CSV table of all heavy atoms in Angstrom, one decimal:
chain,number,residue,atom,x,y,z
A,1,MET,N,167.2,123.0,-82.8
A,1,MET,CA,166.8,122.0,-83.7
A,1,MET,C,168.0,121.5,-84.5
A,1,MET,O,168.6,122.3,-85.2
A,1,MET,CB,165.7,122.6,-84.6
A,1,MET,CG,164.9,121.6,-85.4
A,1,MET,SD,163.7,120.7,-84.4
A,1,MET,CE,163.1,119.7,-85.7
A,2,ARG,N,168.2,120.2,-84.6
A,2,ARG,CA,169.4,119.6,-85.3
A,2,ARG,C,168.9,118.6,-86.3
A,2,ARG,O,167.9,118.0,-86.1
A,2,ARG,CB,170.3,119.0,-84.3
A,2,ARG,CG,170.9,119.9,-83.3
A,2,ARG,CD,172.1,120.5,-83.9
A,2,ARG,NE,172.7,121.6,-83.2
A,2,ARG,CZ,173.8,122.3,-83.5
A,2,ARG,NH1,174.5,122.0,-84.6
A,2,ARG,NH2,174.2,123.2,-82.7
A,3,CYS,N,169.7,118.5,-87.3
A,3,CYS,CA,169.4,117.6,-88.4
A,3,CYS,C,169.5,116.2,-87.9
A,3,CYS,O,170.4,115.8,-87.1
A,3,CYS,CB,170.5,117.8,-89.5
A,3,CYS,SG,170.3,116.5,-90.9
A,4,LEU,N,168.5,115.3,-88.3
A,4,LEU,CA,168.5,114.0,-87.8
A,4,LEU,C,169.6,113.1,-88.5
A,4,LEU,O,170.0,112.1,-88.0
A,4,LEU,CB,167.1,113.4,-88.1
A,4,LEU,CG,166.0,114.0,-87.4
A,4,LEU,CD1,164.6,113.5,-87.9
A,4,LEU,CD2,166.1,113.7,-85.8
A,5,ARG,N,170.1,113.6,-89.7
A,5,ARG,CA,171.0,112.8,-90.4
A,5,ARG,C,172.5,113.1,-90.0
A,5,ARG,O,173.3,112.3,-89.8
A,5,ARG,CB,170.8,113.0,-91.9
A,5,ARG,CG,169.6,112.3,-92.4
A,5,ARG,CD,169.1,112.8,-93.8
A,5,ARG,NE,170.2,112.5,-94.8
A,5,ARG,CZ,170.2,112.9,-96.0
A,5,ARG,NH1,169.1,113.6,-96.4
A,5,ARG,NH2,171.1,112.7,-96.9
A,6,CYS,N,172.7,114.5,-90.0
A,6,CYS,CA,174.1,114.8,-89.8
A,6,CYS,C,174.3,115.8,-88.6
A,6,CYS,O,175.4,116.2,-88.3
A,6,CYS,CB,174.6,115.5,-91.0
A,6,CYS,SG,173.9,117.2,-91.3
A,7,GLN,N,173.2,116.1,-87.8
A,7,GLN,CA,173.3,116.9,-86.7
A,7,GLN,C,173.6,118.4,-87.0
A,7,GLN,O,174.1,119.1,-86.2
A,7,GLN,CB,174.3,116.4,-85.6
A,7,GLN,CG,174.0,115.0,-85.2
A,7,GLN,CD,172.7,114.9,-84.5
A,7,GLN,OE1,172.3,115.6,-83.6
A,7,GLN,NE2,171.8,114.0,-85.0
A,8,GLY,N,173.4,118.7,-88.3
A,8,GLY,CA,173.7,120.0,-88.8
A,8,GLY,C,172.7,121.0,-88.3
A,8,GLY,O,171.7,120.6,-87.8
A,9,PHE,N,173.0,122.3,-88.6
A,9,PHE,CA,172.0,123.3,-88.1
A,9,PHE,C,170.8,123.4,-89.1
A,9,PHE,O,171.0,123.4,-90.3
A,9,PHE,CB,172.8,124.6,-88.1
A,9,PHE,CG,171.9,125.8,-87.5
A,9,PHE,CD1,171.7,125.8,-86.2
A,9,PHE,CD2,171.4,126.8,-88.3
A,9,PHE,CE1,170.9,126.8,-85.7
A,9,PHE,CE2,170.7,127.8,-87.8
A,9,PHE,CZ,170.4,127.8,-86.5
A,10,LEU,N,169.6,123.5,-88.5
A,10,LEU,CA,168.4,123.5,-89.3
A,10,LEU,C,167.9,125.0,-89.3
A,10,LEU,O,167.9,125.6,-88.3
A,10,LEU,CB,167.3,122.6,-88.8
A,10,LEU,CG,167.7,121.1,-88.8
A,10,LEU,CD1,166.5,120.3,-88.1
A,10,LEU,CD2,167.9,120.6,-90.2
A,11,ILE,N,167.4,125.3,-90.6
A,11,ILE,CA,166.7,126.6,-90.6
A,11,ILE,C,165.3,126.4,-91.0
A,11,ILE,O,164.9,125.4,-91.6
A,11,ILE,CB,167.4,127.5,-91.7
A,11,ILE,CG1,167.4,126.8,-93.1
A,11,ILE,CG2,168.8,127.9,-91.3
A,11,ILE,CD1,167.8,127.7,-94.2
A,12,ALA,N,164.4,127.3,-90.5
A,12,ALA,CA,163.0,127.1,-90.7
A,12,ALA,C,162.7,127.6,-92.1
A,12,ALA,O,163.2,128.6,-92.6
A,12,ALA,CB,162.2,128.0,-89.7
A,13,ILE,N,161.9,126.9,-92.8
A,13,ILE,CA,161.4,127.2,-94.2
A,13,ILE,C,160.0,127.0,-94.3
A,13,ILE,O,159.3,126.3,-93.5
A,13,ILE,CB,162.2,126.3,-95.3
A,13,ILE,CG1,161.9,124.9,-95.0
A,13,ILE,CG2,163.7,126.6,-95.3
A,13,ILE,CD1,162.3,124.0,-96.2
A,14,GLN,N,159.4,127.7,-95.3
A,14,GLN,CA,158.0,127.5,-95.6
A,14,GLN,C,157.9,126.5,-96.7
A,14,GLN,O,158.4,126.6,-97.8
A,14,GLN,CB,157.4,128.9,-96.1
A,14,GLN,CG,157.3,129.9,-95.0
A,14,GLN,CD,156.2,129.5,-94.0
A,14,GLN,OE1,155.1,129.2,-94.3
A,14,GLN,NE2,156.6,129.6,-92.7
A,15,MET,N,157.1,125.4,-96.5
A,15,MET,CA,157.0,124.4,-97.5
A,15,MET,C,155.5,124.5,-98.0
A,15,MET,O,154.6,124.6,-97.2
A,15,MET,CB,157.2,123.0,-96.9
A,15,MET,CG,158.6,122.9,-96.3
A,15,MET,SD,158.9,121.3,-95.5
A,15,MET,CE,159.3,120.3,-96.9
A,16,ARG,N,155.4,124.4,-99.3
A,16,ARG,CA,154.1,124.4,-99.9
A,16,ARG,C,153.8,123.2,-100.7
A,16,ARG,O,154.6,122.8,-101.5
A,16,ARG,CB,154.0,125.6,-100.9
A,16,ARG,CG,153.8,126.9,-100.2
A,16,ARG,CD,153.9,128.0,-101.2
A,16,ARG,NE,154.0,129.4,-100.5
A,16,ARG,CZ,152.9,130.1,-100.3
A,16,ARG,NH1,151.7,129.6,-100.6
A,16,ARG,NH2,153.0,131.2,-99.7
A,17,ASP,N,152.7,122.6,-100.4
A,17,ASP,CA,152.2,121.5,-101.2
A,17,ASP,C,151.0,122.0,-102.1
A,17,ASP,O,150.4,122.9,-101.7
A,17,ASP,CB,151.7,120.3,-100.4
A,17,ASP,CG,152.8,119.4,-100.0
A,17,ASP,OD1,153.8,119.3,-100.8
A,17,ASP,OD2,152.8,118.8,-98.9
A,18,MET,N,150.8,121.4,-103.2
A,18,MET,CA,149.7,121.8,-104.1
A,18,MET,C,148.4,121.7,-103.3
A,18,MET,O,148.0,120.6,-102.8
A,18,MET,CB,149.6,120.9,-105.3
A,18,MET,CG,150.9,121.1,-106.2
A,18,MET,SD,151.1,122.6,-107.0
A,18,MET,CE,150.0,122.4,-108.4
A,19,GLY,N,147.6,122.8,-103.2
A,19,GLY,CA,146.3,122.8,-102.6
A,19,GLY,C,146.4,122.7,-101.1
A,19,GLY,O,145.4,122.6,-100.5
A,20,GLN,N,147.6,122.8,-100.5
A,20,GLN,CA,147.7,122.7,-99.1
A,20,GLN,C,148.2,124.1,-98.6
A,20,GLN,O,148.9,124.8,-99.3
A,20,GLN,CB,148.7,121.7,-98.6
A,20,GLN,CG,148.4,120.3,-99.1
A,20,GLN,CD,147.3,119.6,-98.2
A,20,GLN,OE1,147.2,119.9,-97.1
A,20,GLN,NE2,146.5,118.8,-98.8
A,21,PRO,N,147.8,124.4,-97.4
A,21,PRO,CA,148.3,125.7,-96.8
A,21,PRO,C,149.8,125.5,-96.5
A,21,PRO,O,150.3,124.4,-96.3
A,21,PRO,CB,147.6,125.8,-95.5
A,21,PRO,CG,147.0,124.4,-95.1
A,21,PRO,CD,146.8,123.7,-96.5
A,22,PRO,N,150.6,126.6,-96.6
A,22,PRO,CA,152.0,126.5,-96.3
A,22,PRO,C,152.3,125.9,-94.9
A,22,PRO,O,151.7,126.3,-94.0
A,22,PRO,CB,152.5,127.9,-96.5
A,22,PRO,CG,151.3,128.8,-96.4
A,22,PRO,CD,150.2,127.9,-96.8
A,23,VAL,N,153.3,125.1,-94.9
A,23,VAL,CA,153.7,124.4,-93.6
A,23,VAL,C,155.1,124.9,-93.3
A,23,VAL,O,156.0,125.0,-94.2
A,23,VAL,CB,153.7,122.9,-93.7
A,23,VAL,CG1,154.1,122.2,-92.4
A,23,VAL,CG2,152.3,122.5,-94.2
A,24,THR,N,155.4,125.1,-92.0
A,24,THR,CA,156.8,125.5,-91.7
A,24,THR,C,157.5,124.1,-91.5
A,24,THR,O,157.1,123.3,-90.7
A,24,THR,CB,156.8,126.2,-90.3
A,24,THR,OG1,156.0,127.4,-90.5
A,24,THR,CG2,158.2,126.6,-89.9
A,25,GLY,N,158.6,124.1,-92.2
A,25,GLY,CA,159.4,122.9,-92.1
A,25,GLY,C,160.8,123.3,-91.8
A,25,GLY,O,161.1,124.5,-91.4
A,26,TRP,N,161.8,122.4,-92.0
A,26,TRP,CA,163.2,122.6,-91.6
A,26,TRP,C,164.0,122.1,-92.7
A,26,TRP,O,163.8,121.1,-93.3
A,26,TRP,CB,163.5,121.9,-90.3
A,26,TRP,CG,162.7,122.2,-89.2
A,26,TRP,CD1,161.5,121.7,-88.8
A,26,TRP,CD2,162.9,123.4,-88.2
A,26,TRP,NE1,161.0,122.4,-87.7
A,26,TRP,CE2,161.8,123.4,-87.3
A,26,TRP,CE3,163.9,124.3,-88.1
A,26,TRP,CZ2,161.8,124.4,-86.3
A,26,TRP,CZ3,163.9,125.2,-87.1
A,26,TRP,CH2,162.8,125.3,-86.2
A,27,ARG,N,165.1,122.9,-93.0
A,27,ARG,CA,166.1,122.4,-94.0
A,27,ARG,C,167.5,122.5,-93.3
A,27,ARG,O,167.9,123.5,-92.7
A,27,ARG,CB,166.1,123.3,-95.2
A,27,ARG,CG,166.9,122.7,-96.3
A,27,ARG,CD,166.6,123.4,-97.6
A,27,ARG,NE,167.3,124.7,-97.7
A,27,ARG,CZ,168.5,124.8,-98.1
A,27,ARG,NH1,169.2,123.8,-98.5
A,27,ARG,NH2,169.1,126.0,-98.2
A,28,CYS,N,168.3,121.5,-93.6
A,28,CYS,CA,169.6,121.4,-93.0
A,28,CYS,C,170.6,122.2,-93.8
A,28,CYS,O,170.6,122.1,-95.1
A,28,CYS,CB,170.1,119.9,-92.9
A,28,CYS,SG,171.7,119.8,-92.4
A,29,LEU,N,171.4,123.0,-93.2
A,29,LEU,CA,172.4,123.8,-93.9
A,29,LEU,C,173.5,123.0,-94.4
A,29,LEU,O,174.2,123.3,-95.4
A,29,LEU,CB,172.9,124.9,-93.0
A,29,LEU,CG,172.0,126.1,-92.8
A,29,LEU,CD1,172.6,127.0,-91.8
A,29,LEU,CD2,171.6,126.8,-94.0
A,30,LEU,N,173.7,121.9,-93.8
A,30,LEU,CA,174.9,121.0,-94.2
A,30,LEU,C,174.6,120.0,-95.3
A,30,LEU,O,175.2,120.0,-96.3
A,30,LEU,CB,175.4,120.3,-93.0
A,30,LEU,CG,176.1,121.2,-91.9
A,30,LEU,CD1,176.7,120.3,-90.8
A,30,LEU,CD2,177.2,122.0,-92.5
A,31,CYS,N,173.6,119.2,-95.0
A,31,CYS,CA,173.3,118.1,-96.0
A,31,CYS,C,172.1,118.4,-96.9
A,31,CYS,O,171.8,117.7,-97.8
A,31,CYS,CB,173.1,116.8,-95.3
A,31,CYS,SG,171.6,116.6,-94.4
A,32,GLY,N,171.3,119.5,-96.5
A,32,GLY,CA,170.1,119.8,-97.3
A,32,GLY,C,168.9,119.0,-97.1
A,32,GLY,O,167.9,119.1,-97.8
A,33,ALA,N,168.9,118.2,-96.0
A,33,ALA,CA,167.8,117.4,-95.8
A,33,ALA,C,166.6,118.2,-95.4
A,33,ALA,O,166.7,119.2,-94.6
A,33,ALA,CB,168.1,116.4,-94.7
A,34,MET,N,165.4,117.9,-95.9
A,34,MET,CA,164.2,118.6,-95.6
A,34,MET,C,163.4,117.8,-94.6
A,34,MET,O,163.2,116.6,-94.7
A,34,MET,CB,163.4,118.9,-96.9
A,34,MET,CG,164.2,119.5,-98.0
A,34,MET,SD,164.1,121.2,-98.0
A,34,MET,CE,162.6,121.4,-99.0
A,35,THR,N,162.9,118.5,-93.6
A,35,THR,CA,162.0,117.9,-92.7
A,35,THR,C,160.8,118.8,-92.5
A,35,THR,O,160.9,120.0,-92.3
A,35,THR,CB,162.7,117.8,-91.3
A,35,THR,OG1,164.0,117.2,-91.5
A,35,THR,CG2,161.9,117.0,-90.3
A,36,ASP,N,159.6,118.1,-92.5
A,36,ASP,CA,158.4,118.9,-92.2
A,36,ASP,C,157.8,118.2,-90.9
A,36,ASP,O,158.1,117.1,-90.6
A,36,ASP,CB,157.5,119.1,-93.3
A,36,ASP,CG,156.9,117.8,-93.8
A,36,ASP,OD1,156.7,116.9,-92.9
A,36,ASP,OD2,156.6,117.6,-95.0
A,37,PRO,N,156.8,118.8,-90.3
A,37,PRO,CA,156.2,118.3,-89.1
A,37,PRO,C,155.7,116.9,-89.3
A,37,PRO,O,155.7,116.0,-88.5
A,37,PRO,CB,155.1,119.3,-88.7
A,37,PRO,CG,155.6,120.6,-89.3
A,37,PRO,CD,156.4,120.2,-90.5
A,38,GLY,N,155.1,116.7,-90.5
A,38,GLY,CA,154.5,115.4,-90.8
A,38,GLY,C,155.6,114.3,-90.9
A,38,GLY,O,155.4,113.2,-90.4
A,39,ILE,N,156.7,114.6,-91.6
A,39,ILE,CA,157.8,113.6,-91.6
A,39,ILE,C,158.3,113.3,-90.2
A,39,ILE,O,158.5,112.2,-89.9
A,39,ILE,CB,159.0,114.2,-92.5
A,39,ILE,CG1,158.5,114.3,-93.9
A,39,ILE,CG2,160.2,113.3,-92.5
A,39,ILE,CD1,159.5,115.0,-94.8
A,40,GLU,N,158.4,114.3,-89.4
A,40,GLU,CA,159.0,114.2,-88.1
A,40,GLU,C,158.1,113.3,-87.3
A,40,GLU,O,158.5,112.4,-86.6
A,40,GLU,CB,159.0,115.6,-87.4
A,40,GLU,CG,159.8,115.5,-86.1
A,40,GLU,CD,161.2,115.8,-86.3
A,40,GLU,OE1,161.7,116.0,-87.4
A,40,GLU,OE2,161.9,115.8,-85.3
A,41,ALA,N,156.8,113.5,-87.4
A,41,ALA,CA,155.8,112.7,-86.7
A,41,ALA,C,155.8,111.2,-87.1
A,41,ALA,O,155.8,110.3,-86.3
A,41,ALA,CB,154.4,113.2,-86.9
A,42,ASN,N,156.0,111.0,-88.4
A,42,ASN,CA,156.1,109.6,-88.9
A,42,ASN,C,157.3,108.9,-88.4
A,42,ASN,O,157.3,107.8,-88.0
A,42,ASN,CB,156.2,109.6,-90.4
A,42,ASN,CG,154.8,109.9,-91.1
A,42,ASN,OD1,153.8,109.7,-90.4
A,42,ASN,ND2,154.7,110.3,-92.3
A,43,ARG,N,158.4,109.6,-88.4
A,43,ARG,CA,159.7,109.1,-88.0
A,43,ARG,C,159.6,108.7,-86.5
A,43,ARG,O,160.0,107.6,-86.1
A,43,ARG,CB,160.8,110.1,-88.2
A,43,ARG,CG,162.1,109.5,-88.3
A,43,ARG,CD,163.2,110.6,-88.3
A,43,ARG,NE,163.1,111.4,-89.6
A,43,ARG,CZ,163.9,111.2,-90.6
A,43,ARG,NH1,164.8,110.2,-90.6
A,43,ARG,NH2,163.8,111.9,-91.7
A,44,VAL,N,159.0,109.6,-85.7
A,44,VAL,CA,158.9,109.3,-84.3
A,44,VAL,C,158.0,108.1,-84.0
A,44,VAL,O,158.3,107.3,-83.2
A,44,VAL,CB,158.4,110.5,-83.6
A,44,VAL,CG1,157.9,110.2,-82.1
A,44,VAL,CG2,159.4,111.6,-83.6
A,45,SER,N,156.9,108.0,-84.8
A,45,SER,CA,156.0,106.9,-84.5
A,45,SER,C,156.4,105.6,-85.0
A,45,SER,O,156.0,104.5,-84.5
A,45,SER,CB,154.6,107.2,-85.1
A,45,SER,OG,154.6,107.3,-86.5
A,46,GLN,N,157.3,105.6,-86.1
A,46,GLN,CA,157.7,104.3,-86.6
A,46,GLN,C,158.9,103.7,-86.0
A,46,GLN,O,159.0,102.5,-85.8
A,46,GLN,CB,158.0,104.6,-88.1
A,46,GLN,CG,156.8,104.7,-88.9
A,46,GLN,CD,157.1,105.0,-90.4
A,46,GLN,OE1,158.3,105.1,-90.8
A,46,GLN,NE2,156.1,105.2,-91.2
A,47,SER,N,159.9,104.5,-85.6
A,47,SER,CA,161.1,103.9,-85.1
A,47,SER,C,161.4,104.5,-83.7
A,47,SER,O,161.3,105.7,-83.5
A,47,SER,CB,162.2,104.2,-86.1
A,47,SER,OG,162.4,105.6,-86.2
A,48,PRO,N,161.9,103.7,-82.8
A,48,PRO,CA,162.2,104.2,-81.5
A,48,PRO,C,163.5,105.0,-81.6
A,48,PRO,O,164.3,104.8,-82.6
A,48,PRO,CB,162.5,102.9,-80.7
A,48,PRO,CG,162.8,101.8,-81.8
A,48,PRO,CD,162.0,102.2,-83.0
A,49,PRO,N,163.8,105.9,-80.7
A,49,PRO,CA,165.0,106.7,-80.8
A,49,PRO,C,166.2,105.8,-80.7
A,49,PRO,O,166.2,104.8,-79.9
A,49,PRO,CB,164.9,107.6,-79.6
A,49,PRO,CG,163.9,106.9,-78.6
A,49,PRO,CD,162.9,106.1,-79.6
A,50,ILE,N,167.2,106.1,-81.5
A,50,ILE,CA,168.4,105.3,-81.5
A,50,ILE,C,169.3,105.9,-80.4
A,50,ILE,O,169.7,107.1,-80.3
A,50,ILE,CB,169.1,105.4,-82.8
A,50,ILE,CG1,168.2,104.9,-83.9
A,50,ILE,CG2,170.5,104.7,-82.8
A,50,ILE,CD1,168.7,105.1,-85.3
A,51,ARG,N,169.8,105.0,-79.5
A,51,ARG,CA,170.7,105.5,-78.4
A,51,ARG,C,172.1,105.3,-78.9
A,51,ARG,O,172.4,104.2,-79.4
A,51,ARG,CB,170.4,104.6,-77.1
A,51,ARG,CG,169.2,105.1,-76.4
A,51,ARG,CD,169.3,104.5,-75.0
A,51,ARG,NE,168.0,104.6,-74.4
A,51,ARG,CZ,167.7,104.0,-73.2
A,51,ARG,NH1,168.6,103.3,-72.6
A,51,ARG,NH2,166.5,104.2,-72.7
A,52,SER,N,172.8,106.3,-78.7
A,52,SER,CA,174.3,106.2,-79.1
A,52,SER,C,175.0,105.5,-78.0
A,52,SER,O,174.9,105.9,-76.8
A,52,SER,CB,174.9,107.6,-79.3
A,52,SER,OG,176.2,107.5,-79.4
A,53,GLY,N,175.7,104.5,-78.3
A,53,GLY,CA,176.5,103.8,-77.2
A,53,GLY,C,177.9,104.3,-77.0
A,53,GLY,O,178.6,103.8,-76.3
A,54,ALA,N,178.1,105.4,-77.7
A,54,ALA,CA,179.5,106.0,-77.7
A,54,ALA,C,179.7,106.6,-76.3
A,54,ALA,O,178.9,107.3,-75.7
A,54,ALA,CB,179.7,107.0,-78.7
A,55,ARG,N,180.9,106.3,-75.8
A,55,ARG,CA,181.3,106.9,-74.6
A,55,ARG,C,182.2,108.0,-74.8
A,55,ARG,O,183.1,108.0,-75.6
A,55,ARG,CB,182.1,105.8,-73.7
A,55,ARG,CG,181.2,105.3,-72.6
A,55,ARG,CD,182.1,104.4,-71.7
A,55,ARG,NE,181.4,103.1,-71.6
A,55,ARG,CZ,182.0,102.0,-71.9
A,55,ARG,NH1,183.2,102.0,-72.4
A,55,ARG,NH2,181.3,100.9,-71.8
A,56,LEU,N,182.1,109.0,-74.0
A,56,LEU,CA,183.0,110.1,-74.0
A,56,LEU,C,184.4,109.7,-73.6
A,56,LEU,O,184.5,109.0,-72.6
A,56,LEU,CB,182.5,111.3,-73.2
A,56,LEU,CG,181.2,112.0,-73.6
A,56,LEU,CD1,180.8,113.0,-72.6
A,56,LEU,CD2,181.5,112.7,-75.0
A,57,PRO,N,185.4,110.1,-74.3
A,57,PRO,CA,186.8,109.8,-73.9
A,57,PRO,C,187.0,110.3,-72.5
A,57,PRO,O,186.7,111.4,-72.1
A,57,PRO,CB,187.7,110.5,-74.9
A,57,PRO,CG,186.9,111.4,-75.7
A,57,PRO,CD,185.4,111.0,-75.5
A,58,GLY,N,187.6,109.4,-71.6
A,58,GLY,CA,187.9,109.8,-70.2
A,58,GLY,C,186.7,109.7,-69.3
A,58,GLY,O,186.8,109.9,-68.1
A,59,ALA,N,185.5,109.3,-69.9
A,59,ALA,CA,184.4,109.2,-69.0
A,59,ALA,C,184.5,107.9,-68.2
A,59,ALA,O,185.0,106.9,-68.7
A,59,ALA,CB,183.1,109.1,-69.8
A,60,PRO,N,184.2,108.0,-66.9
A,60,PRO,CA,184.3,106.8,-66.1
A,60,PRO,C,183.4,105.7,-66.5
A,60,PRO,O,182.3,105.9,-66.9
A,60,PRO,CB,184.0,107.3,-64.7
A,60,PRO,CG,183.1,108.5,-64.9
A,60,PRO,CD,183.6,109.1,-66.2
A,61,VAL,N,183.9,104.5,-66.5
A,61,VAL,CA,183.1,103.3,-66.8
A,61,VAL,C,182.2,103.0,-65.6
A,61,VAL,O,182.7,102.9,-64.5
A,61,VAL,CB,184.0,102.1,-67.2
A,61,VAL,CG1,183.1,100.9,-67.4
A,61,VAL,CG2,184.8,102.5,-68.3
A,62,ARG,N,180.9,102.9,-65.8
A,62,ARG,CA,180.0,102.7,-64.7
A,62,ARG,C,180.0,101.2,-64.4
A,62,ARG,O,179.7,100.4,-65.3
A,62,ARG,CB,178.6,103.2,-65.1
A,62,ARG,CG,177.7,103.3,-63.9
A,62,ARG,CD,176.4,103.9,-64.3
A,62,ARG,NE,176.5,105.3,-64.6
A,62,ARG,CZ,175.4,106.0,-65.1
A,62,ARG,NH1,174.3,105.3,-65.2
A,62,ARG,NH2,175.6,107.2,-65.4
A,63,ARG,N,180.3,100.9,-63.2
A,63,ARG,CA,180.3,99.5,-62.9
A,63,ARG,C,179.2,99.2,-61.8
A,63,ARG,O,179.1,100.0,-60.9
A,63,ARG,CB,181.6,99.0,-62.3
A,63,ARG,CG,182.7,98.9,-63.3
A,63,ARG,CD,184.0,98.3,-62.8
A,63,ARG,NE,185.0,98.4,-63.8
A,63,ARG,CZ,186.3,98.4,-63.5
A,63,ARG,NH1,186.7,98.5,-62.3
A,63,ARG,NH2,187.2,98.3,-64.5
A,64,VAL,N,178.5,98.2,-62.0
A,64,VAL,CA,177.5,97.8,-61.1
A,64,VAL,C,178.0,96.8,-60.2
A,64,VAL,O,178.4,95.7,-60.5
A,64,VAL,CB,176.2,97.3,-61.8
A,64,VAL,CG1,175.1,96.9,-60.8
A,64,VAL,CG2,175.7,98.4,-62.8
A,65,LYS,N,178.0,97.1,-58.9
A,65,LYS,CA,178.4,96.1,-57.9
A,65,LYS,C,177.2,95.3,-57.5
A,65,LYS,O,176.2,95.8,-57.1
A,65,LYS,CB,179.0,96.9,-56.7
A,65,LYS,CG,180.4,97.4,-56.9
A,65,LYS,CD,181.0,97.9,-55.6
A,65,LYS,CE,182.4,98.5,-55.8
A,65,LYS,NZ,182.9,99.1,-54.6
A,66,LYS,N,177.4,94.0,-57.6
A,66,LYS,CA,176.4,93.1,-57.2
A,66,LYS,C,176.7,92.6,-55.8
A,66,LYS,O,177.8,92.1,-55.6
A,66,LYS,CB,176.2,92.0,-58.2
A,66,LYS,CG,175.6,92.4,-59.5
A,66,LYS,CD,175.4,91.1,-60.4
A,66,LYS,CE,174.7,91.5,-61.7
A,66,LYS,NZ,174.6,90.4,-62.6
A,67,GLU,N,175.7,92.7,-54.9
A,67,GLU,CA,176.0,92.2,-53.6
A,67,GLU,C,175.6,90.8,-53.6
A,67,GLU,O,174.6,90.3,-54.1
A,67,GLU,CB,175.1,93.0,-52.6
A,67,GLU,CG,175.5,94.4,-52.5
A,67,GLU,CD,174.7,95.1,-51.3
A,67,GLU,OE1,174.1,94.3,-50.5
A,67,GLU,OE2,174.7,96.3,-51.3
A,68,ARG,N,176.5,90.1,-53.0
A,68,ARG,CA,176.2,88.6,-53.0
A,68,ARG,C,175.3,88.3,-51.9
A,68,ARG,O,175.4,88.9,-50.8
A,68,ARG,CB,177.6,87.9,-52.7
A,68,ARG,CG,178.5,88.0,-53.9
A,68,ARG,CD,179.7,87.2,-53.7
A,68,ARG,NE,180.6,87.5,-54.9
A,68,ARG,CZ,181.8,87.0,-55.0
A,68,ARG,NH1,182.3,86.2,-54.0
A,68,ARG,NH2,182.6,87.2,-56.0
A,69,SER,N,174.4,87.4,-52.1
A,69,SER,CA,173.3,87.1,-51.2
A,69,SER,C,173.8,86.1,-50.1
A,69,SER,O,173.0,85.9,-49.2
A,69,SER,CB,172.1,86.6,-52.0
A,69,SER,OG,172.4,85.5,-52.7
A,70,GLN,N,175.0,85.6,-50.3
A,70,GLN,CA,175.3,84.6,-49.4
A,70,GLN,C,176.1,85.2,-48.2
A,70,GLN,O,177.0,86.0,-48.4
A,70,GLN,CB,176.3,83.5,-50.0
A,70,GLN,CG,175.5,82.7,-51.0
A,70,GLN,CD,176.3,81.7,-51.7
A,70,GLN,OE1,177.6,81.8,-51.7
A,70,GLN,NE2,175.7,80.8,-52.5
B,1,LIG,ZN1,171.9,117.4,-92.3
């Protein structure tokens, strides 16, 4: 499990809301961001996953060869 903001290491914590049973959530050791299953679900349902366009150095560039129909 990695932090959504900084990719830091997350530790499991018990989160308590008033009048609610304790929920297991996550806290980032680096930036301190708190995540609980509800937040995670909202995030997933609202925004599509962001794809990183970064290429690894030295990675081959994928070229698509188009065959000519003529
Ligand atoms: Zn973080």
